[in-house]
Amino acid sequence: MTRSLGGSGFGVLSILLLSAGCGTGVDYTTECHVPQVECGGACVDLQTDRAHCGACDEACETGEVCVDGACATSCPAGQDVCDDRCVELQTDRAHCGACDEACETGEVCVDGACATSCPGAQIECGGSCIDPDTDRAYCGASGDCTGTEAGAACADGEVCVDGACATSC
């Protein structure tokens, strides 16, 4: 169906979306930034959110954390549980050096201490200093790590080599 409802401002695109099933009881007003998705009107990260682990409304059991979209009993090496999620105390701005020790606005967490800039060739992405040549979440990132400067998130089994995702070093 591609007809327009004359003069109502309800155009062809809206008709196409409605006929495709879009807009039927779903709130599309929430705009989430990658890697977050909309679940029940809130932006969540399906890789780390205990209430939405791997999919919306898939909650982990008491005592479990969400690691890479799956419920687990412990965090990966180098991470600790803070606020029911795994964090890297060496780089997490909200938990810098210890749980609930947040850096001030404009600061980043470097080696477990708040600092005003990233060392060497590292850049700030999502409040953490990363090496865009080796970081799997922001592989090849630049600038402020958003939009076209976000780089790529390497897939499972891939590594980031010289700013590009690859299956081996």
Side-chain angles (χ1 to χ4, degrees):
M1 175 187 229
T2 59
R3 66 181 183 143
S4 178
L5 300 177
S8 70
F10 197 73
V12 173
L13 180 58
S14 296
I15 296 295
L16 288 172
L17 289 174
L18 287 173
S19 67
C22 297
T24 54
V26 178
D27 179 10
Y28 290 99
T29 59
T30 305
E31 183 177 321
C32 300
H33 298 284
V34 174
Q36 296 184 333
V37 298
E38 188 273 330
C39 287
C43 293
V44 299
D45 185 342
L46 299 178
Q47 298 299 301
T48 60
D49 191 296
R50 289 187 67 246
H52 307 282
C53 189
C56 290
D57 300 323
E58 292 294 323
C60 293
E61 298 292 327
T62 301
E64 290 183 325
V65 291
C66 184
V67 178
D68 296 329
C71 295
T73 56
S74 64
C75 295
Q79 295 186 2
D80 292 288
V81 177
C82 294
D83 298 330
D84 290 328
R85 65 181 259 272
C86 297
V87 298
E88 293 181 22
L89 298 177
Q90 298 300 303
T91 60
D92 191 295
R93 288 188 67 244
H95 308 282
C96 189
C99 290
D100 300 323
E101 292 295 323
C103 294
E104 299 292 325
T105 302
E107 290 182 325
V108 292
C109 185
V110 179
D111 297 328
C114 295
T116 55
S117 65
C118 296
Q122 293 185 355
I123 60 174
E124 180 187 348
C125 290
S128 297
C129 293
I130 62 104
D131 181 344
D133 287 336
T134 60
D135 191 278
R136 291 186 65 242
Y138 295 99
C139 189
S142 62
D144 65 358
C145 298
T146 60
T148 59
E149 297 178 331
C154 295
D156 288 341
E158 289 184 327
V159 292
C160 180
V161 180
D162 295 327
C165 294
T167 54
S168 65
C169 297

